[in-house]
Amino acid sequence: MKKVLILSYFFPPANFVGSERTAAWAKHLHKSGYHPIVITRQWNDGQTNVLDQVKNNVVEHELKDNYEIYRLPYRRSLRDRCSTKTSLRLFQKALTFWELLWSNYFIKALPYSNFYKQARKVLKENPEIKIVLASGRPFQQFSIGHQLKKEFDIKWIPDYRDEWASHKGIQANSVLDKFILNLERKSEKKWTSNADLFLSVSDQVVENISKHIDKKGFSVLNGYSPRVNSENQIVSSEENLHIVYSGTLYSYQNLDPFIDAVKQINSRNSSSIKVSFIGVNSSDLPGQRLLKKLKNDPNFLIISRMPKPAHDELLNTAHVLFLTSYEQNKGWYPVKLFDYYNTEKPILLCPSDEDVIEQFIKSTNTGYIAATSEECKKILESFIEKKNKGQSIQMDRNIKEGKKYSREYQTGVLGKILDATSNKN
């Protein structure tokens, strides 16, 4: 087994999307001939807030069957302590600037600089390690990979779970925001300057980043982990058609065609369709816009962030899972797409991205696509008709194609990338 060192700030038992990506790598890379050594921070079981105090805040070294983990104490920085107080937001930005500035010269400026110390120790004790991966966010971890490359005979690979300073949707409204963005762009280029290659979550994102940092990149999708009891699918017992949307809303998402279609149907047959929005922040701009559009319609329910078990149960008991396009994120697979797929429930995409989400749904035969409110209404009416007749609205999924999007398969893709990297002089 060839050893590979992975730096991942987010890792189970923390309940973050970023945890699942590197956790899958740790679990499955042995099938490609690699023994991962993961360096992360301490987390509470199921933790969903980065700033929570950690109960067991000590160094731990866990030996698993096919990988090992170093869990390091979490040090809450002054910037983190200020982040919960709105009155100190400007001061927090100043501290962010200070951290970005000094981390270009001193890794100790990072609140997780203990990752660097532990990584150096692991590399000294395991000189056979030839590849180091650092998964961002936080992207400042890349500074550690950059420094390790200078000190050790290794291949250094940054992993982007999303774009950093190259993202076109970034808005810098104040002078300080513009200054920080400019500093981050310089930091990104500096810390990836000696990288051997980079990874990201789709071909389009790889292309965007590659143009920015002038490095060759490869796609390793996020994917899904199959349910333990996938053959025992939960069937909704609700009388009305229940549709669920899960996740954050963004200002560039257009929900109007879907909402208009639901309202038109319900106006003729009261409460035929119930819709739940999970994880929507009703206090931010997209949430406020949604509330204005809904006008206190009792058939629409907005639910704040839920514990994962309750969230998964709600997805599993829905009839249909709703998804809409991300107009400013072409070539991007939202993680919820894989979560939806994993429930085996039909997906409704409205309007379509006319891109990778539509391609995914068509190739795996997992759902329905509507371009307009009228098309959406016809699809919803067909759902209701089938439901009233006791017919299933499930689709005959393309399981073979779907397996390509599993985390296990995508970790195999990573294994081939590591093989090619190891063989380079």
Side-chain angles (χ1 to χ4, degrees), residues 21 25 199-201 218-222 410-411 413-414 417:
R21 181 170 173 85
W25 295 355
L199 307 174
S200 196
V201 295
F218 296 88
S219 296
V220 179
L221 275 58
N222 282 313
Q410 290 300 317
T411 303
V413 172
L414 172 60
I417 295 170

Side-chain angles (χ1 to χ4, degrees), residues 379-396:
I379 292 171
L380 293 174
E381 287 173 337
S382 72
F383 289 165
I384 294 171
E385 182 180 359
K386 286 182 178 180
K387 184 176 179 300
N388 291 340
K389 291 180 179 179
Q391 300 173 354
S392 174
I393 60 174
Q394 300 298 120
M395 304 186 71
D396 186 13

Side-chain angles (χ1 to χ4, degrees), residues 21 24-30 32 220-221 406-416:
R21 181 170 173 85
W25 295 355
K27 180 179 179 181
H28 296 297
L29 264 176
H30 72 96
S32 298
V220 179
L221 275 58
S406 70
R407 289 193 183 274
E408 180 178 2
Y409 183 94
Q410 290 300 317
T411 303
V413 172
L414 172 60
K416 292 177 181 178

Side-chain angles (χ1 to χ4, degrees), residues 36 69 89 123 130 202 211 295 313 332 342 385 398:
I69 314 166
R89 187 163 295 171
L123 290 174
K130 295 303 178 184
S202 78
K211 289 178 182 177
K295 298 179 179 178
E313 182 180 357
W332 183 63
N342 212 20
E385 182 180 359
N398 187 333

Side-chain angles (χ1 to χ4, degrees), residues 230-285:
S230 59
E231 69 279 4
N232 297 324
Q233 187 190 41
I234 301 173
V235 179
S236 178
S237 59
E238 293 192 37
E239 181 178 347
N240 301 305
L241 184 73
H242 185 203
I243 303 175
V244 170
Y245 174 91
S246 171
T248 305
L249 278 182
Y250 298 94
S251 57
Y252 47 79
Q253 288 178 283
N254 183 13
L255 303 181
D256 290 357
F258 169 73
I259 294 174
D260 290 343
V262 173
K263 286 193 170 187
Q264 287 179 44
I265 293 172
N266 283 343
S267 67
R268 297 196 306 267
N269 190 358
S270 181
S271 302
S272 293
I273 303 175
K274 297 285 189 180
V275 181
S276 297
F277 291 93
I278 311 173
V280 174
N281 184 354
S282 57
S283 63
D284 63 15
L285 191 58

Side-chain angles (χ1 to χ4, degrees), residues 74-141:
Y74 162 57
R75 297 184 296 188
R76 199 178 189 196
S77 67
L78 178 59
R79 185 192 66 170
D80 289 343
R81 293 197 296 270
C82 292
S83 64
T84 57
K85 299 180 180 179
T86 307
S87 60
L88 297 177
R89 187 163 295 171
L90 186 61
F91 183 54
Q92 183 199 4
K93 287 186 177 181
L95 291 173
T96 298
F97 162 71
W98 186 262
E99 184 178 297
L100 283 170
L101 177 65
W102 287 109
S103 62
N104 279 277
Y105 308 100
F106 306 104
I107 288 178
K108 286 185 177 180
L110 296 172
Y112 42 88
S113 60
N114 50 356
F115 280 37
Y116 169 65
K117 182 178 179 180
Q118 184 63 53
R120 291 184 80 249
K121 182 180 179 182
V122 170
L123 290 174
K124 287 180 178 179
E125 293 175 351
N126 300 270
E128 70 272 28
I129 295 177
K130 295 303 178 184
I131 299 179
V132 173
L133 277 158
S135 187
R137 301 177 178 251
F139 293 118
Q140 283 72 23
Q141 282 184 119

Side-chain angles (χ1 to χ4, degrees), residues 14-15 19 44 57 85 89 96-97 103 141 166 175 193 201 209 249 284 299 309 333 347 359 397 410 412 414:
N15 184 15
S19 304
N44 298 321
N57 206 24
K85 299 180 180 179
R89 187 163 295 171
T96 298
F97 162 71
S103 62
Q141 282 184 119
S166 61
V175 174
S193 61
V201 295
I209 296 171
L249 278 182
D284 63 15
N299 294 311
Y333 299 88
I347 299 170
Q359 292 167 14
R397 305 200 308 169
Q410 290 300 317
L414 172 60

